[in-house]
Amino acid sequence: MAVIGASGALGFGLALRLAQAGRPIVIGSREASRAREAAERAHAAVPEGAFSGEDNAVAAASAETVILSVPFRNQSETLTNLRDALRPGQLLIDATVPLAAAVGGKATRMLGVWQGSAAQQALEMVPEGVRVVSALHTVSAASLSDLEHPLEQDVLLCGDSRADKREAAALIESIAGLRCVDCGKLEMARTTEALTALLIAVNSRYKVHAGIRLTSLPEQLWQ
């Protein structure tokens, strides 16, 4: 699988955890040299992991599942550059958050997106037939990168296909301590994305890396 933007904090942490769970990881970056450097750092942290580094297009074309973990200011450009690399049937897990920090504002504020959310913008931009699921907005990058840190968090998934969300959940739940919760259609991503800003405010106030955990859910969430 490919992680686009794994030279950044969240993507790098996801690459580490997924590799630790036995998933071969292709790290994508705008420059192949940066991707290879990130792959070397990842291998140093998880020696048993299988990592390689490629430019974004090569990384995306090589995988059936692609995690998009880039700042909002780069989402549109990245997806435009990937139009010829992405293909029908691939699963794109979008972790982009339209924080105001993308345009010099506060990280605790959100930008308005015409499509409703960053994930809906992604769906509009990818080639027809690419399946889009929104996820991973409330998981701390710092917690992911600290491999000794127990996660015990929920990941909120949004998407228009239950089967696509189940497939994304199976991948994400291979990371110890993460549980995926179906939060409805892709349009609900406007709400789950905004929780990133809320958690930034909470974590700043209490100097922690808090996540989300929902209560009173049934034991089996993906029957």
Side-chain angles (χ1 to χ4, degrees), residues 94 96-98 110 116-120 133-135 137 156-159 183-195:
D94 184 72
T96 312
V97 182
M110 300 291 290
S117 66
Q120 288 170 292
V133 170
S134 172
H137 304 103
L156 310 181
L157 269 59
C158 303
C183 293
K185 296 286 190 179
L186 195 67
E187 65 183 11
M188 293 302 295
R190 69 189 68 187
T191 300
T192 57
E193 290 173 7
L195 290 175

Side-chain angles (χ1 to χ4, degrees), residues 28-103:
S29 185
R30 283 178 293 181
E31 298 178 6
S33 59
R34 288 188 63 195
R36 287 191 288 270
E37 289 171 5
E40 290 174 3
R41 287 191 292 116
H43 189 263
V46 184
E48 71 276 17
F51 301 96
S52 60
E54 303 286 353
D55 66 56
N56 285 336
V58 173
S62 71
E64 294 301 319
T65 301
V66 178
I67 295 178
L68 183 64
S69 175
V70 297
F72 181 68
R73 64 180 178 273
N74 300 126
Q75 187 202 40
S76 178
E77 178 186 3
T78 300
L79 288 175
T80 297
N81 292 336
L82 290 179
R83 280 198 64 84
D84 293 333
L86 296 171
R87 61 187 182 278
Q90 281 180 303
L91 178 65
L92 178 73
I93 300 175
D94 184 72
T96 312
V97 182
L99 295 174
V103 292

Side-chain angles (χ1 to χ4, degrees), residues 120-158:
Q120 288 170 292
Q121 176 171 278
L123 180 62
E124 190 174 275
M125 297 191 68
V126 297
E128 185 175 356
V130 174
R131 302 169 294 142
V132 176
V133 170
S134 172
L136 298 163
H137 304 103
T138 61
V139 182
S140 162
S143 296
L144 284 168
S145 296
D146 181 0
L147 299 179
E148 300 302 317
H149 181 86
L151 295 174
E152 300 303 323
Q153 298 180 27
D154 286 340
V155 176
L156 310 181
L157 269 59
C158 303

